[in-house]
Amino acid sequence: MTLIENTTRPESFLNTLPGSAYSDPELFAREQELIFEQMWFCAARSADVGTPGAFQTVQVGRESILITRSRRGEARAFFNICRHRGAQLCTAESGEVKRSFQCPYHAWTYDLDGKLVAAPNLTKMPDVDRVEYGLRKVHVREWLGYVWVCVADEAPSFEDTVMGAVRTRLGDIESIEHYDVANLALGRRIRYDVKANWKLIIENFMECYHCATIHPELTEVLPEFADGFAAQYFVGHGAEFGADIKGFTVDGSEGFDRIPGITEDQDRRYYAVTIRPQVFLNLVPDHVILHRMYPMAADHTIVECDWLYLPDVVESGKDVSNSVELFHRVNQQDFDACERCQLATNSRVYADGGVLVPSEHHIAEFHQWVLDSLHHGA
């Protein structure tokens, strides 16, 4: 896959990836192997595996990953595969065990640290190393209240990649620390089933050339978005609320108390951050919205979106629907647009791709990153 060279195009345009980049199953398989299985992947909310034995199973690239918490309260992640004959250990998306995971095929049993602790006739096999034949571990980190995993043999630097993406976008890491994301509470979660390629979703999130066309509610709250330049276009920039807007809500009405660490410069502003390959962060003064993408096929992506608030907002049962509804509409509008684009990716008319206008030129760097990731791993 390469960018199509077009020497006859106007200087205002840059080429996109070719249509096949969004629809070819073989290319998608390479992306799973060389991107999603090589990078840090935001897999689960920490609170969803908050107690020892609580677990979630998550698809990371081509691998099923089991995420749990040890008896000491430490996050653990394993390949969801029994070391005996390869049976999938857990088939449920989530659940809880008391002390161990047992394979339903031959009853090989593993503790919460992955060690093999029991199996039929195991005592008659004294030469079997119970750690060596325990569950295969996956690299794991916790940050921003989420469990991040990397299934590569050697994980890239978390500080350089994940935290580096935030630093590059906001100008420093301290800016996100003001939001105290790890200590916010889940107010709402919506899961979207999107019939579109993951790259189309990222491209959409990165630009605002479409905002005036399909996001009337958002541009009412953030008037500068109507001009077509997304907040991500500028390092450290946050889009300012409209003069008559009281909060980041569907009707501009007042939201909730400001997160205590927010600075005056961050107040009444919206910041968007893309953390490759599958996280979007949306920061506003009274809540945070975090998207996680789970690419399932070349034309199919699950997007899980969390709305996070100060704990007292959630615990007191305050109505969060006005703030949820704003970005829920944005999501629906965006994903509908991505699905419209997906329909054209196999057309002969789009075989060479489309074009990027000046306010979208920064997307070309994302395209080059995809190409470099695939070529370097080839």
Side-chain angles (χ1 to χ4, degrees), residues 13-313:
F13 290 163
L14 295 178
N15 288 347
T16 69
L17 296 170
S20 60
Y22 307 94
S23 58
D24 183 353
E26 291 186 8
L27 177 64
F28 177 75
R30 290 186 63 208
E31 291 173 339
Q32 293 282 62
E33 176 187 2
L34 300 175
I35 294 178
F36 294 99
E37 294 175 23
Q38 298 299 319
M39 301 185 68
W40 286 99
F41 189 99
C42 187
R45 182 156 170 76
S46 294
D48 291 340
V49 287
T51 57
F55 73 85
Q56 286 198 333
T57 56
V58 177
Q59 192 72 21
V60 179
R62 300 163 300 174
E63 302 286 355
S64 176
I65 303 302
L66 173 63
I67 300 167
T68 189
R69 199 168 290 278
S70 73
R71 297 182 71 176
R72 296 180 299 281
E74 298 167 338
R76 294 284 185 262
F78 310 99
F79 288 95
N80 187 21
I81 293 175
C82 178
R83 296 298 305 282
H84 173 219
R85 297 270 295 281
Q88 192 167 82
L89 203 60
C90 297
T91 55
E93 287 189 3
S94 62
E96 188 169 351
V97 296
K98 290 184 178 180
R99 297 177 182 173
S100 60
F101 295 95
Q102 186 175 85
C103 177
Y105 193 7
H106 294 93
W108 278 38
T109 305
Y110 308 88
D111 69 14
L112 301 181
D113 286 307
K115 181 182 177 181
L116 177 65
V117 293
N121 304 317
L122 184 60
T123 56
K124 298 179 180 179
M125 297 175 271
D127 57 331
V128 174
D129 186 319
R130 298 189 182 202
V131 174
E132 175 65 24
Y133 282 88
L135 296 178
R136 187 67 59 82
K137 293 182 179 180
V138 170
H139 303 284
V140 62
R141 286 282 299 264
E142 286 192 83
W143 190 53
L144 301 179
Y146 287 81
V147 178
W148 304 67
V149 301
C150 180
V151 304
D153 291 339
E154 294 186 16
S157 165
F158 191 89
E159 288 72 19
D160 291 346
T161 55
V162 176
M163 297 175 72
V166 174
R167 189 180 297 108
T168 298
R169 165 66 184 95
L170 299 180
D172 55 54
I173 205 67
E174 290 75 25
S175 292
I176 198 168
E177 292 174 350
H178 297 157
Y179 292 85
D180 196 22
V181 184
N183 291 311
L184 299 181
L186 181 67
R188 187 73 57 84
R189 173 176 292 163
I190 300 179
R191 188 178 175 97
Y192 302 88
D193 194 314
V194 188
K195 301 298 189 295
N197 185 271
W198 66 278
K199 295 187 296 298
L200 290 175
I201 298 173
I202 286 187
E203 292 167 16
N204 174 276
F205 187 71
M206 290 181 68
E207 56 92 358
C208 214
Y209 188 49
H210 67 277
C211 288
T213 307
I214 71 172
H215 294 322
E217 299 88 356
L218 185 63
T219 52
E220 183 72 22
V221 173
L222 304 174
E224 68 184 72
F225 273 15
D227 295 333
F229 283 93
Q232 293 189 78
Y233 195 85
F234 309 99
V235 175
H237 177 69
E240 191 170 3
F241 291 7
D244 298 327
I245 297 300
K246 296 180 180 179
F248 197 72
T249 56
V250 70
D251 56 2
S253 60
E254 191 170 353
F256 303 105
D257 291 342
R258 194 168 83 183
I259 296 170
I262 298 300
T263 66
E264 290 298 323
D265 289 343
Q266 291 172 316
D267 193 19
R268 295 184 56 77
R269 288 187 179 272
Y270 162 81
Y271 297 85
V273 183
T274 300
I275 303 177
R276 297 171 186 167
Q278 44 84 248
V279 172
F280 305 146
L281 272 174
N282 307 271
L283 310 170
V284 292
D286 65 333
H287 65 283
V288 170
I289 307 163
L290 189 142
H291 297 70
R292 286 172 285 158
M293 292 195 304
Y294 298 88
M296 308 306 292
D299 59 355
H300 183 202
T301 307
I302 300 295
V303 182
E304 200 161 86
C305 187
D306 289 348
W307 281 260
L308 310 172
Y309 300 86
L310 288 170
D312 68 280
V313 171

